[in-house]
Amino acid sequence: MEAHIIEWLNLSIRWIHVITGIAWIGASFYFNFLENSLNRTVNLRQELAGNLWAVHGGGFYYLEKYKHSPEEIPKDLHWFKWEAYFTLLSGLTLLFVVYYYNASVYMIDSSVSDISSIQAISIGIGTLVGSWIIYDLMCKSALVKNMRLFAFLGFVLIVALAFGLGQFLSARAAYIHIGALIGTIMVLNVFFVIIPSQKSMVNSAKKGELGDPSLGKKALARSIHNNYMTLPVLFIMISNHFPSTFGHKNSWLILAFLILIGVAVRHWFNLKGKGIKNIWLLPMSLLMLIALIFYTKPPIIDSSINAIDQTNPAVSDLQVMQIIDKHCVSCHSSQPTSQIFTVAPKGMSLDHFDAIQLNVD
């Protein structure tokens, strides 16, 4: 019963995480599109920074952006914040249910490091907390004025952390914690910087004041950071389904290139929104992806050695059954004894030798 409840908790929380994540990132993409597509020059009223006509769902829409604020703040003012907050809360809950509750299974790889579950969980939580502190200090330093240098150092730190986590945690856990730290930084940007700046702007407008322009600049900078982190974090959210990435001996290097691909594609969309043509970002991203496909290809194995039913097998049928009984059958059977799975993953039962032969490939 415990395994059944955990399975449904996993599914339910994951579903909530995906829903809120779509709502948050979708809103982020939409407002970045608006910012990049505004008409800023033709027939603008003096108080406007830009406007935009759009058609969608059988109707026409007209949007205006003010330079500062309207003369009167409307009563029904929508705040884009709860999507981000619930994405973080559901993501952290999922991290606890899947990884921390089953740390001995999903976070520890004895071939990598012989650490306890408590140590593994401490490394995971410390990574999330420490990464935000370092990032926030970087944003408050003079470094943030040089966007390219800031982005380069941030990328180097993330890759170095991915390599470091891979020395202690399982490859799968290392990957998901890089994704979790990126997502945490994005949400805390909203909570600590973007929303407080917006509240200050609204309060100043209600008093008829212009407000502190530096707050708006800081909020915009954090929003831009979030914009470029969206595609890498989306990849890491789905990466656990593809062991050819996190399961590679140089998984940190694979992650580094996939982050670069995500940032490059996001930059191409940002440039396109501004009407700036770029002919090399997408082809470069595609070439990097193709290079990764070849770099991660499995080694070529002599099929005559790998076959089970050969005359003189390198591994006997008895040895095969002993290995699978020890490592696989607790989950991959018609009645799993595992505390994690109530049914065989992928529906693959390996109780009998005939079933193993059917799944030789």
Side-chain angles (χ1 to χ4, degrees), residues 2 19 40 79 84 160 187 207 220 243 251 262 296 328 355:
E2 180 184 358
I19 292 170
R40 301 179 185 275
W79 295 80
V187 176
K207 298 175 182 177
L220 178 60
S251 58
T296 57
C328 312

Side-chain angles (χ1 to χ4, degrees), residues 107-117 119-120 123 167-170:
M107 293 191 69
I108 298 173
D109 183 347
S110 58
S111 66
V112 172
S113 178
D114 187 19
I115 60 176
S116 67
S117 295
Q119 288 173 321
I123 290 172
Q167 309 307 305
F168 297 97
L169 305 180
S170 69

